[in-house]
Amino acid sequence: MSEDGTAEILDEVFAVIEQRKTELPEGSYTASLFTHEKGENRALEKLGEETTELILAAKDGDDEELAHEAADIVYHLLVVLAMHDMTVEDLRAELRTRRE
């Protein structure tokens, strides 16, 4: 377990995303990303929108909004990974190679 719980929360969020992908509960925003008529493009559009919002929050020096938008980016990134049948561990493995 990491000291601040960061690793665990990523795993927890990804588990919920995977559950929504499988169960597709009605009214779930996550499920709607998997079933949207635009397909994967909708999740990719959201990732782009959130990135723009993060950039503007950083430029404006709004740390609270920056944290909010960063979380949105991580969430949508995890959705895109799930769409490609990748996992958080795949992401961790890639990040490990960059630290060596």
Side-chain angles (χ1 to χ4, degrees):
M1 176 181 238
S2 63
E3 188 173 309
D4 65 359
T6 303
E8 291 78 13
I9 194 64
L10 287 177
D11 291 333
E12 290 171 19
V13 169
F14 193 74
V16 171
I17 290 169
E18 285 288 311
Q19 179 185 29
R20 300 291 195 268
K21 176 183 172 184
T22 303
E23 296 176 4
L24 299 174
E26 189 174 327
S28 164
Y29 173 73
T30 302
S32 76
L33 291 173
F34 288 103
T35 60
H36 197 278
E37 63 188 17
K38 289 185 177 181
E40 181 185 22
N41 283 351
R42 182 62 185 144
L44 295 172
E45 287 171 358
K46 287 301 295 179
L47 191 56
E49 288 172 23
E50 301 303 343
T51 300
T52 299
E53 292 171 4
L54 176 121
I55 291 166
L56 294 174
K59 179 191 76 60
D60 293 342
D62 186 341
D63 290 347
E64 185 176 323
E65 188 66 13
L66 182 61
H68 177 83
E69 299 305 338
D72 284 348
I73 287 173
V74 170
Y75 163 78
H76 286 92
L77 172 64
L78 293 176
V79 169
V80 171
L81 289 177
M83 286 179 166
H84 287 265
D85 296 321
M86 295 180 70
T87 66
V88 175
E89 188 50 44
D90 294 322
L91 176 60
R92 284 188 184 103
E94 178 60 28
L95 289 170
R96 279 187 206 99
T97 67
R98 295 174 184 218
R99 145 178 114 178
E100 296 171 359

